[in-house]
Amino acid sequence: MKLSAIRAALADLQLTPSKTLGQNFLHDQNLARWIVAQLDAKPGDELLEIGPGLGALTGAALATGATVRALEKDQRLADFLRARFADEPRFQIEHTDALEFDPRTLWARGPVKIFGNLPYYISTPLLFHFMSPAVPVARGVFLLQRELAERIAAAEPGTKDYGILSVVIGRRWRVRLLRTLPASVFLPEPKVDSALIGLTLRAPDELPPCDVQTFERIVRAGFSQRRKQLRKLVREFLPDGSEAKWGELAAGFGFVENARGEELTLRQWIGLANHVQPVQPGNAQDSQGEIFDVVDAGDRVTGTATRGEVHARDLWHRAVHILVFNARGEVFLQKRSPWKDKHPGKWDSSAAGHLDSGEDYAEAARRELAEELGMSAVEVEAGLLEEVGSLPASERTGWEFIRVFRFRHDGPFDWPAAEIEWGGFFPVETVREWTAGHPEDFAPGFLKCWALPIFSNQGNAGLLIHEKFAGVKNT
Ligand code: SAM
């Protein structure tokens, strides 16, 4: 939008740009096109814009042929944009606070590219809100206050700009400082310069693997008091005996004994996370010797065989899937780790696994809750495990007789990184839309469980579960 068009629109709307909402409108059209070009958007892509304002970037984004959904907190601007792009079926505007927007709902539409000239007062929480592993983002392009952009994109260990954002965002994203912009390209002019950053996902093998939960926990602890030595801040996370050998440990990672968090590189943080919670990628060969019961067509035990044999000879055997629901009626899904021999990286039931020889279905379900979600025996008892369906063995279940359980727990969970890359609670309606729109995102066993009448046919399985378990508290 040209400066004159912005002035006219503001006068029409009788709108004085709000400082509180960080309203500084971009009036350089070439720049707007250049910024949007960094998204590499194509017809058919799904874009999400945060804070579209009067639509300077929105117009350029729509010109790429992509679909644009925009989140704007100011009602007058949302109404203005609805009218401005009324003839554009690929445009959708929502009057909402972007921090209140539930990004989990985006899974149903597939990966999105996110962009925005972010309101400076909430840029950091917005980045954490949208660029987390719980959100299906393929790329991000953001205009930020220059100082913040440098902190994320260019900060080196040991500098004052280097912080949690640089490390946590940097682990998943390759961040590039694309250019700086003078205040004069905005109306009104902000007091500080701005800069544009571009985020693209790192390749899976670009950095060593680590337990993401542990990594984020120690990074937050390590930066919680910048003047304090790292050793003191992460003490509680260290395995027994490590603190006494801190000097040796630090030397092994290549930092000094009295280092502070801000002195560690990303790789050193990952190394430390791996010391605290080693990742042991499951070796498919190691588990081939596990012993399972083999059953007949009526699910009666007829003998035993190793896991390897059972799978190689398509023998009937047994498995459980557990779907955990929280108080809001949302279901917890796990993203299988990239090292799993079957269906790596796919979304799956909250917990699932084979029965060991001699085990019954409910025992196996309890064991899986403990092993995969880190629950204590007391928690497993309190969650009221309930069998809600079964699936006969077939080629599609991998010749498994499956019993399906539901369980009540609000999390958070502590999962082993070798099994689970990430996990989160999702509204039932979101999972219904997601499984319908992108079944390829899921392990086939979960899709079969989710198709059971109890989850698929009832108006809202989650709500029913919520009522049923009302009053049940996690310990
Ligand atoms: N994209 C426009 C441009 O480049 O000209 C406007 C950018 S302006 C820096 C930030 C925009 O974010 C404003 O339109 C403001 O109303 C909007 N905004 C502020 N807080 C918001 C929030 N919490 N959620 C969504 N939009 C917000």
Side-chain angles (χ1 to χ4, degrees):
M1 276 175 109
K2 285 188 193 157
L3 193 53
S4 54
I6 289 182
R7 286 213 168 98
L10 292 176
D12 256 13
L13 293 168
Q14 298 183 334
L15 192 149
T16 309
S18 152
K19 263 197 192 151
T20 330
L21 286 179
Q23 292 176 344
N24 302 95
F25 302 105
L26 181 69
H27 58 73
D28 184 319
Q29 288 169 289
N30 289 331
L31 207 46
R33 278 190 290 270
W34 190 86
I35 291 170
V36 166
Q38 308 312 307
L39 282 167
D40 194 21
K42 298 178 188 57
D45 278 359
E46 297 270 351
L47 308 185
L48 182 74
E49 181 175 7
I50 300 168
L54 291 162
L57 300 174
T58 325
L62 284 166
T64 65
T67 296
V68 182
R69 183 174 180 184
L71 313 175
E72 173 56 61
K73 187 170 179 180
D74 189 323
Q75 174 85 62
R76 297 161 301 176
L77 294 173
D79 291 344
F80 171 83
L81 287 180
R82 200 169 287 118
R84 178 176 168 194
F85 297 115
D87 297 334
E88 184 45 84
R90 288 181 286 109
F91 178 66
Q92 188 191 338
I93 176 87
E94 283 173 49
H95 168 227
T96 182
D97 181 332
L99 284 176
E100 305 274 305
F101 175 80
D102 183 353
R104 299 170 303 175
T105 57
L106 295 170
W107 285 100
R109 298 161 76 126
V112 294
K113 294 177 176 174
I114 303 197
F115 70 105
N117 174 7
L118 298 187
Y120 294 159
Y121 73 107
I122 46 163
S123 297
T124 299
L126 281 171
L127 288 170
F128 279 125
H129 191 64
F130 285 98
M131 303 312 275
S132 102
V135 189
V137 181
R139 186 184 281 245
V141 170
F142 302 107
L143 249 176
L144 306 172
Q145 195 172 331
R146 180 175 175 170
E147 220 185 49
L148 178 64
E150 286 174 349
R151 201 180 307 159
I152 303 169
E156 292 293 332
T159 63
K160 77 170 179 21
D161 283 345
Y162 188 67
I164 296 182
L165 256 184
S166 343
V167 180
V168 169
I169 298 279
R171 188 196 62 81
R172 277 192 80 223
W173 299 95
R174 198 171 252 281
V175 188
R176 284 201 305 141
L177 193 63
L178 298 169
R179 67 184 291 173
T180 53
L181 282 79
S184 58
V185 297
F186 302 101
L187 179 81
E189 290 190 17
K191 291 208 168 61
V192 289
D193 283 346
S194 305
L196 188 73
I197 58 166
L199 291 84
T200 44
L201 274 175
R202 287 188 185 277
D205 55 358
E206 203 175 321
L207 289 170
C210 70
D211 180 321
V212 178
Q213 287 183 307
T214 303
F215 171 84
E216 292 196 359
R217 238 174 252 149
I218 61 167
V219 169
R220 281 175 202 283
F223 279 104
S224 60
Q225 297 175 61
R226 290 188 79 107
R227 308 312 306 160
K228 220 169 169 176
Q229 287 181 23
L230 180 63
R231 169 193 204 149
K232 295 186 179 128
L233 296 171
V234 298
R235 175 186 281 156
E236 61 170 304
F237 301 102
L238 296 174
D240 286 348
S242 297
E243 206 201 335
K245 293 188 191 150
W246 179 255
E248 239 173 80
L249 193 68
F253 289 126
F255 56 85
V256 293
E257 190 170 356
N258 58 0
R260 284 168 288 149
E262 64 194 34
E263 290 168 55
L264 266 59
T265 64
L266 185 51
R267 280 177 187 272
Q268 286 168 335
W269 277 114
I270 292 175
L272 191 57
N274 275 320
H275 175 75
V276 170
Q277 181 66 59
V279 175
Q280 288 146 345
N283 181 345
Q285 293 311 318
D286 290 349
S287 53
Q288 293 304 313
E290 287 171 26
I291 305 290
F292 296 161
D293 285 337
V294 174
V295 297
D296 64 11
D299 193 16
R300 286 172 295 258
V301 178
T302 56
T304 58
T306 63
R307 178 193 186 103
E309 263 179 291
V310 159
H311 287 146
R313 294 171 49 207
D314 288 344
L315 300 174
W316 285 318
H317 57 293
R318 294 168 162 177
V320 288
H321 278 244
I322 307 107
L323 294 182
V324 178
F325 289 84
N326 66 12
R328 288 207 287 270
E330 298 167 335
V331 61
F332 183 85
L333 298 183
Q334 60 156 284
K335 190 166 195 275
R336 296 168 68 83
S337 94
W339 307 292
K340 296 289 275 190
D341 53 344
K342 286 196 172 161
H343 318 299
K346 299 287 181 190
W347 289 88
D348 205 346
S349 303
S350 319
H354 292 105
L355 270 66
D356 287 340
S357 176
E359 214 174 24
D360 69 28
Y361 284 102
E363 277 168 357
R366 289 195 194 94
R367 178 175 51 74
E368 291 295 346
L369 285 169
E371 285 178 7
E372 296 204 339
L373 300 182
M375 283 184 206
S376 68
V378 177
E379 284 178 300
V380 170
E381 224 32 70
L384 300 186
L385 186 71
E386 183 193 9
E387 190 177 321
V388 292
S390 62
L391 298 165
S394 71
E395 193 170 358
R396 288 194 61 199
T397 67
W399 306 109
E400 287 169 356
F401 283 91
I402 297 176
R403 297 273 174 96
V404 185
F405 294 81
R406 67 179 174 187
F407 188 79
R408 169 73 184 80
H409 199 287
D410 289 339
F413 302 120
D414 213 355
W415 54 75
E419 299 280 333
I420 301 176
E421 180 186 347
W422 193 257
F425 280 102
F426 292 88
V428 165
E429 210 37 61
T430 296
V431 180
R432 289 206 182 115
E433 285 170 21
W434 184 10
T435 49
H438 291 275
E440 72 282 2
D441 287 353
F442 297 90
F446 167 73
L447 289 176
K448 291 217 70 170
C449 296
W450 192 245
L452 283 170
I454 188 161
F455 302 120
S456 62
N457 288 350
Q458 294 184 13
N460 188 334
L463 264 188
L464 289 174
I465 287 160
H466 176 46
E467 284 160 14
K468 178 175 168 59
F469 289 107
V472 174
K473 288 235 173 0
N474 298 141
T475 46

